[in-house]
Amino acid sequence: MLAEKRPIEVLAYRYFNVNLPEFLKLLESGGEPIRYDEATKTIYIQKERGEVALTYGNWVIHEVNTDGTFWAIESDIFHKTYEYIQNTLYCYRKKIYTVECVKFKSLSHKDVVEVLNFLGYHAKEVFDILQRDDLVDEIKSKGYISIITLEGVERLYVGEFVIKGVEGEFYPVKEESFNKVYRIIEK
């Protein structure tokens, strides 16, 4: 399925030469636990679906119009997918672009395999199929699919979408946020 990103406005801050106590306080205002690793200068934001890492030099966006929380985004991807809104402070607009996506419809074997195939787990050999079937059974028992994103491992739950981003990266999106940020253009 193809979806088009809507031009939603966000607040964005680069994690570079910041007043660290004030920056951490800002991130804490999103209502999610954060922790700071002094050795690596990495800030971790605890999401309900997993912990995301904000590494030094990358960006954090505050999606006030969707879930109201903060999300880490790599600098290269940020510059490809956001544009600065003139005469504002920290305001950026998501560029309109097309992404591939798939909805995780149910825990049925068929729907789990559809998502796994989208993520690149194509089973072609008998041994691969047996391993994939074990993975499907594990997913059914846990109730979610673990997805390796650029910012860490996150969980994809039934009813949510997984997006393939502009650099081939994957990330899960709740259906409510998906409907605010994307418009399906081809099924």
Side-chain angles (χ1 to χ4, degrees), residues 19-38:
N19 176 321
L20 187 61
E22 290 298 316
F23 193 67
L24 294 175
K25 187 177 176 180
L26 171 70
L27 296 178
E28 287 173 338
S29 73
E32 297 171 318
I34 62 162
R35 67 182 177 88
Y36 176 67
D37 182 335
E38 196 169 334

Side-chain angles (χ1 to χ4, degrees), residues 11-131:
L11 298 175
Y13 312 93
R14 185 158 185 230
Y15 175 35
F16 181 76
N17 287 338
V18 297
N19 176 321
L20 187 61
E22 290 298 316
F23 193 67
L24 294 175
K25 187 177 176 180
L26 171 70
L27 296 178
E28 287 173 338
S29 73
E32 297 171 318
I34 62 162
R35 67 182 177 88
Y36 176 67
D37 182 335
E38 196 169 334
T40 63
K41 292 186 174 181
T42 302
I43 300 171
Y44 295 91
I45 305 169
Q46 184 63 50
K47 303 287 186 180
E48 66 182 66
R49 65 175 76 247
E51 191 174 60
V52 297
L54 172 60
T55 55
Y56 192 76
N58 284 333
W59 289 77
V60 64
I61 56 173
H62 186 193
E63 292 192 343
V64 181
N65 297 319
T66 57
D67 64 5
T69 60
F70 290 91
W71 291 92
I73 183 168
E74 286 195 359
S75 193
D76 289 348
I77 293 172
F78 178 80
H79 290 293
K80 286 181 181 179
T81 58
Y82 289 85
E83 58 191 0
Y84 177 68
I85 300 172
Q86 295 295 322
N87 303 316
T88 66
L89 192 58
Y90 308 118
C91 291
Y92 290 79
R93 181 179 300 111
K94 290 182 181 185
K95 294 178 183 176
I96 298 173
Y97 58 92
T98 303
V99 295
E100 294 178 61
C101 61
V102 68
K103 186 173 184 179
F104 186 18
K105 297 177 207 116
S106 76
L107 286 172
S108 73
H109 187 88
K110 176 183 166 265
D111 289 341
V112 172
V113 168
E114 179 184 13
V115 174
L116 291 177
N117 285 341
F118 181 74
L119 294 169
Y121 294 97
H122 298 285
K124 295 177 183 158
E125 305 291 327
V126 172
F127 183 70
D128 294 339
I129 293 170
L130 293 174
Q131 281 189 320

